[in-house]
């Protein structure tokens, strides 16, 4: 078992150290219309890139502009050097996002207008999958789910969910399970206490090899790396940055960078042409890979 406190990659400046060293900007670019009206992910990436590179970012893919979708998200402009191109991407898969919304809606159905007096924690195990209960394709599952809801509501009012009712629910909604009820006046009814994350079992595959496989084979990073290549050629850029906001949920949740020790685990193979890779998972570290020097970590606290 790998020890997360040992075998770390090199340390780079923390965000606070970088902020103290970066020259004051001529204007508060982060409050400009392009950034305020743009995606929050792009603004977050831009601020961190500015602090850790010292280069002022500029939005290139501006909402409403023609050909915006073919442009990279950000540019970094060094003084006296070629422009650098940046793409911002989240690893959260859309299927998991859609499933989360459906799961929350089904739990709301369980509570109805009169939630039970006790709190019933619901957990979603690995591989959970909420049924499609609406529309033409969801009619049969919808009828089965509504019958399950009625039984669960009756049993919850009586103070306990039977094993038979839980099994009926799992037959319609694979992966759903129920913990023992809790007497909590402030949080009554059914509550999702665990999403099971939907993370794939990575087995013994080293972290850097899992990351390499994601970048090489998953459709979205491949698309963004290709966009970086096109824009770099058009703009004469020599550095191409991919800034990954790493989610803890969904099938790629196993890529969450929880320790700098992961970045000495295995061999990293970067996509061709990529010069800089950033991983930001809100875990207290931003990880950076540079083609010339490899991995460093930057503390955010």
């Amino acid at each position: 078992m790998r020890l997360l406190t040992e075998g770390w990659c090199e340390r780079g400046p923390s965000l606070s150290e970088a902020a103290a060293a970066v020259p004051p900007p001529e204007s508060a670019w982060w409050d400009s219309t392009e950034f305020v009206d743009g995606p929050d992910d792009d603004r977050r990436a831009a601020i961190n890139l500015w602090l850790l590179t010292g280069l002022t970012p500029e939005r290139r893919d501006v909402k409403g502009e023609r050909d915006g979708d073919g442009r990279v998200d950000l540019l970094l402009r060094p003084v006296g050097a070629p422009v650098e191109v940046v793409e911002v991407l989240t690893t959260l898969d859309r299927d998991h996002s859609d499933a989360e919304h459906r799961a929350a809606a089904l739990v709301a159905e369980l509570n109805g207008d009169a939630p039970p007096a006790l709190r019933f924690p619901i957990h979603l195990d690995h591989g959970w999958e909420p049924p499609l209960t609406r529309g033409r394709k969801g009619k049969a599952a919808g009828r089965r789910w509504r019958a399950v809801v009625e039984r669960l509501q009756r049993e919850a009012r009586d103070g306990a969910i039977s094993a038979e009712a839980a099994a009926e629910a799992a037959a319609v909604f694979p992966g759903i399970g129920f913990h023992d009820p809790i007497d909590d006046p402030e949080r009554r009814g059914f509550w999702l206490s665990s999403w099971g994350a939907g993370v794939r079992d990575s087995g013994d595959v080293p972290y850097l090899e899992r990351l390499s496989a994601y970048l090489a084979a998953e459709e979205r990073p491949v698309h963004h790396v290709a966009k970086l290549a096109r824009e770099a050629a058009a703009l004469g850029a020599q550095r191409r940055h991919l800034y990954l906001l790493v989610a803890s949920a969904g099938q790629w949740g196993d890529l969450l960078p929880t320790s700098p020790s992961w970045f000495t685990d295995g061999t990293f193979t970067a996509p061709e042409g990529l010069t800089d890779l950033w991983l930001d998972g809100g875990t207290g570290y931003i990880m950076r890979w540079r083609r010339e020097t490899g991995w460093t970590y930057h503390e955010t606290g």
Side-chain angles (χ1 to χ4, degrees), residues 81-297:
V83 68
E84 302 182 11
V85 291
V86 182
E87 275 286 87
V88 181
L89 173 65
T90 176
T91 64
L92 184 63
D93 56 284
R94 294 187 179 94
D95 289 343
H96 183 81
S97 299
D98 293 342
E100 282 187 338
H101 290 300
R102 296 210 313 276
L106 294 178
V107 172
E109 286 186 39
L110 284 172
N111 281 314
D113 296 328
L118 299 175
R119 173 156 63 98
F120 288 85
I122 293 175
H123 62 270
L124 301 179
D125 292 328
H126 180 74
W128 63 269
E129 184 177 354
L132 181 65
T133 59
R134 300 183 184 278
R136 188 177 303 173
K137 294 182 178 180
K139 282 186 177 180
R143 287 193 296 269
R144 293 173 64 201
W145 176 250
R146 281 185 285 276
V148 167
V149 166
E150 291 177 3
R151 178 170 182 176
L152 291 173
Q153 288 174 333
R154 288 195 306 270
E155 294 194 2
R157 285 194 294 269
D158 292 336
I161 302 295
S162 67
E164 293 81 3
E168 285 184 13
V172 185
F173 187 159
I176 192 171
F178 302 87
H179 291 300
D180 291 337
I182 301 170
D183 188 2
D184 183 354
E186 295 184 0
R187 298 181 69 185
R188 301 171 52 211
F190 294 93
W191 287 78
L192 277 168
S193 62
S194 169
W195 291 88
V199 178
R200 301 177 311 164
D201 183 3
S202 57
D204 295 327
V205 179
Y207 179 88
L208 290 177
E209 293 174 21
R210 302 199 304 269
L211 177 61
S212 301
Y214 168 78
L215 294 170
E218 183 67 7
E219 178 183 2
R220 295 183 67 218
V222 168
H223 168 76
H224 285 261
V225 168
K227 187 191 292 188
L228 283 169
R230 290 195 304 272
E231 285 276 83
L235 299 171
Q238 294 180 3
R239 300 203 73 87
R240 308 176 197 175
H241 300 253
L242 182 62
Y243 194 99
L244 279 181
L245 290 154
V246 187
S248 60
Q251 64 172 325
W252 297 105
D254 64 337
L255 296 181
L256 188 71
T258 56
S259 168
S261 69
W262 292 128
F263 297 85
T264 57
D265 183 21
T267 301
F268 179 60
T269 304
E272 183 178 358
L274 193 68
T275 62
D276 297 76
L277 176 64
W278 306 77
L279 303 182
D280 178 359
T283 60
Y285 304 104
I286 294 175
M287 310 303 303
R288 182 185 185 183
W289 172 85
R290 282 176 282 191
R291 187 168 290 276
E292 300 87 350
T293 58
W295 289 101
T296 56
Y297 72 92

